[in-house]
Every structure is written in structure tokens, then in C-alpha cells.
Amino acid sequence: MIKLDRRILTHFDFVQPILILPIIAISLFLIYEANERLIEKQLIYTLIGFAGFAFFFLIPLRKLVWLIPILYWVNIALLLSVDIFGVEKLGARRWLEIPFTGFTIQPSEIFKPSFILMLAYLIHQNPPSKNGYNLKQFVHLSFYILLPFFLIAGEPDLGTALVLLIVGFGMIFIIGANYKIWLSIFIAIAVISPIIYTDFLKPYQKQRIHDFLAEEPSYHVKQSIIAIGSGGLTGKQADEATQTHFKFLPISTSDFIFAYTVERFGFIGAIVVILLYTLLIFHLLSLNYKHKNDYFTRVVTNCVALFIFTYVAVNISMTIGFAPVVGIPMPFYSHGGSSFATFMIFFGILQNLITFRYLDIEKAVKFKF
């Protein structure tokens, strides 16, 4: 039997579950209404996610820091193996099949926790000076961000690759790097952007950009905007949410679940969901001040906040026609197991670092048989 030291309760960050659990509850309600067959799967995904949270919350993470580089390079090997042994679906080779099971895993998804931990490990080993990282240090950190970016973008999965790029460099921006480096990067991006569009983007990626810039939105976006507009201030009753129940709104439980939220609960419901995410992001960023000398915790916190912000911002933007349509789910909200489990692992790691920062985990968690 596991006996937990009572001091854990005094360090546990209860603000996180107070903000996350309502998001999960609203999601389960909407998925049940939209498709009763999916709710069983989502409940299983939810249980798996909470199991992942519990595992990473209870392991002696700070004592296993030496394993982080090994974990990172194992995941890099998995990303490399996708090109050789990967399973192709819908024109993309992103999955590996688990032998003798018929199940597949997506290495780019399970890579994300090791990505965050590796950045935390590197910055913990070499924190920035008062003036921020110099060019040599910045290039060293950039290598660990750009390597998975190019591997994942080549699958192709440009959406996930860009999210890693934004999170990685966004975290360095928050932690601190010399301003001249950022100025040089912005100038370089402005210069090479036309070349990237012309020579490196695949035809379907260019088509998404074209659909986004066109005067007429794509069919999916048009139906999403209709669903959002029909919700009004307070939304509709379940049997009146025709865009979803008559299948006009595509993928209403995952990619376009925000549009269904507005159709069902109206502008007020949308504001509630956005407010929960906003409070969660600001709460995470505020932990920079509480843990200003603990770079390991700060990096993990900032990365999780940036992941949530990027996923939510891109998902909502694409449902209202302000961004190209990409397969970016809303954390804890869209139907699916990989994303839910990944974000629960994120918060398991984060709560571990916060809760056990001042405690010896071997004393805090006692095993009795």
C-alpha cells in the first residue's frame, strides 16, 4: 500500500485540476451528445490519461534526470525508423506498427514529453547569464529543437513540427537569449519565407494556405462558421444543433469541436471555455516567478503553457477561418487518445516537479506491504 506524506498536499498545485477538470467534463458531455459510440472510447482514453498522470507524478523524476538524454535519443531513433518501417495512412508515413498486435504508435506524439524534459535538462545544466544566452549557447539548444522539427516535417507532419518549433524557441525567448539573435532570426525568416513556400512545401500544404487566403473559405471552414453563427448568445438545444447532428459540421468531436461548442452553448459557452484555458496558461506562466531559480521546473512549465496556447490558438483560429486547417486538437477537449494522454503526462511531470521540489521523494512516498 502507498502512504503519501501529508506535506505533499501543501505543495500540490490545486489550481491546475480546478481549471482542467471542467474542460474535460464539458468535452465528455459534448462528445456523448454528438456521438454516443465515441464516448466509451473517450472514457477509456481519459482513464489512460489519468494513469499516465499518476505514473509521472509518483516516479522520483529528479533522481532519474540522467535518463533524460537517453530517452530523447531513443525517441529520435523512433522518428528516424518511421521513414524505414513506418505505416502509411492518408499519404503520410507517421506511424509504427507494434509487432503481433495490430496497433500503431505515433512517435511524433510520444516524443513531446522527452522533448520538454531534454530542453529542461540542457538549460538546468547550463542556465543563461544575466544578458541571456550567447550565440554559441543558442545554437547548441537550437540543434535539439531543429533535429526533431526536420524529422517530423519530413513524414510529412508540418503541423506538429511547427508546434515543436514554436514551443522550443518560445521557451528560449522566455528564459532569455540575446536580443541580437532574435533580430537576426526574424530578418532571416522574412528573407527565406518565399523560398520555403516555393521549393519545400508540398502541394497539399500549399493548397491549405491557398484555401486560407482565398475569398471563399473551404467547405469545412464554411460549415464551421455557420455552426458558430447559429449558436447566438446562449446556444441551441441538443436536438436543434443541426449542423452537428445532420453531419454538416465535419469532425465535430475533434478538429471542429469548438464550433460545436458554440453551436450548443453559444457565445457565452465559448467565452467560458476560452477563459478556462486563458487562466490555466497565465497560471502556468506565473510559476516563473515562484520558481525563478529552478530552471528545470521553469522550462517544463513554460513549454506546457506554450503547447496549450499554440494548440488552442491554432484550433480556434482554423474553425473561424483565421488559420489554415491542420490537425491540431484542443488539449483535454478534442476526442482522441494520443493528445489527451500526452497532456496528462505533461501535467504529471509538472506536478511532480512542483510538489516534490522541497521533499525527498523516497521519504514522501513510503511503501508498506
Side-chain angles (χ1 to χ4, degrees):
M1 186 177 82
I2 299 177
K3 182 180 179 181
L4 298 178
D5 192 304
R6 291 182 181 179
R7 291 174 296 170
I8 291 175
L9 297 177
T10 65
H11 294 282
F12 190 86
D13 183 6
F14 288 97
V15 175
Q16 293 177 36
I18 287 172
L19 295 172
I20 292 171
L21 290 177
I23 295 173
I24 296 173
I26 297 170
S27 168
L28 291 174
F29 176 79
L30 289 173
I31 293 171
Y32 173 75
E33 274 196 350
N35 192 329
E36 293 184 11
R37 291 178 298 177
L38 292 181
I39 191 61
E40 292 184 7
K41 287 185 178 180
Q42 192 62 28
L43 287 172
I44 294 173
Y45 295 151
T46 302
L47 291 175
I48 293 172
F50 276 99
F53 172 89
F55 176 80
F56 281 92
F57 174 66
L58 291 173
I59 63 172
L61 190 58
R62 291 184 187 272
K63 293 181 177 294
L64 299 174
V65 166
W66 60 274
L67 278 173
I68 290 174
I70 298 173
L71 181 65
Y72 176 88
W73 288 110
V74 166
N75 277 279
I76 289 294
L78 288 175
L79 290 175
L80 286 168
S81 67
V82 168
D83 190 48
I84 304 171
F85 306 107
V87 177
E88 187 171 324
K89 298 179 183 179
L90 302 176
R93 192 183 295 270
R94 304 174 185 171
W95 297 267
L96 291 174
E97 186 172 351
I98 301 174
F100 312 113
T101 65
F103 291 100
T104 58
I105 59 172
Q106 190 172 349
S108 61
E109 197 66 39
I110 62 176
F111 173 77
K112 293 171 185 175
S114 65
F115 175 74
I116 290 179
L117 288 172
M118 187 61 181
L119 294 178
Y121 173 85
L122 293 169
I123 291 175
H124 174 72
Q125 296 290 326
N126 184 23
S129 65
K130 185 178 180 181
N131 295 323
Y133 284 117
N134 59 33
L135 181 59
K136 181 180 179 181
Q137 294 167 322
F138 183 86
V139 170
H140 180 246
L141 287 172
S142 297
F143 169 79
Y144 291 90
I145 299 170
L146 292 173
L147 176 60
F149 167 77
F150 286 115
L151 292 176
I152 295 171
E155 293 181 354
D157 187 359
L158 187 58
T160 299
L162 285 174
V163 169
L164 291 180
L165 202 68
I166 292 169
V167 170
F169 286 111
M171 180 276 305
I172 297 177
F173 180 83
I174 295 172
I175 293 295
N178 192 288
Y179 77 93
K180 294 179 181 179
I181 296 173
W182 297 115
L183 183 60
S184 301
I185 289 174
F186 291 141
I187 293 173
I189 290 174
V191 171
I192 67 174
S193 290
I195 300 173
I196 293 174
Y197 177 84
T198 304
D199 299 332
F200 291 95
L201 290 186
K202 296 185 180 296
Y204 79 91
Q205 293 166 340
K206 293 180 180 179
Q207 184 61 44
R208 286 179 177 177
I209 295 174
H210 178 270
D211 292 341
F212 168 62
L213 296 175
E215 292 184 8
E216 279 290 320
S218 65
Y219 172 81
H220 288 182
V221 175
K222 188 181 295 184
Q223 297 302 322
S224 174
I225 293 172
I226 292 172
I228 290 171
S230 67
L233 182 64
T234 58
K236 295 181 173 181
Q237 296 295 324
D239 56 355
E240 296 176 356
T242 54
Q243 281 294 111
T244 298
H245 292 297
F246 289 163
K247 310 301 181 184
F248 292 112
L249 179 64
I251 329 176
S252 60
T253 57
S254 55
D255 288 358
F256 288 90
I257 193 171
F258 182 76
Y260 178 44
T261 302
V262 185
E263 183 182 29
R264 186 66 178 83
F265 299 125
F267 177 77
I268 294 175
I271 291 298
V272 169
V273 172
I274 292 173
L275 182 62
L276 287 170
Y277 280 117
T278 302
L279 291 174
L280 179 60
I281 291 167
F282 275 106
H283 171 68
L284 293 176
L285 293 176
S286 72
L287 295 177
N288 276 285
Y289 298 97
K290 187 175 181 181
H291 303 280
K292 60 182 179 180
N293 295 320
D294 183 358
Y295 280 98
F296 199 98
T297 301
R298 284 184 60 192
V299 171
V300 172
T301 302
N302 290 324
C303 284
V304 173
L306 286 166
F307 262 115
I308 294 173
F309 172 78
T310 305
Y311 271 60
V312 173
V314 171
N315 183 278
I316 293 177
S317 295
M318 77 180 189
T319 63
I320 59 177
F322 282 7
V325 176
V326 291
I328 299 292
M330 290 184 71
F332 306 113
Y333 205 64
S334 298
H335 169 73
S338 297
S339 174
F340 189 92
T342 298
F343 276 94
M344 289 301 291
I345 289 171
F346 284 169
F347 279 94
I349 293 170
L350 183 55
Q351 286 283 15
N352 180 298
L353 295 172
I354 293 171
T355 304
F356 299 110
R357 183 181 175 210
Y358 303 106
L359 301 173
D360 181 351
I361 196 167
E362 290 185 347
K363 295 179 181 178
V365 183
K366 302 174 183 177
F367 293 86
K368 288 189 176 181
F369 298 90

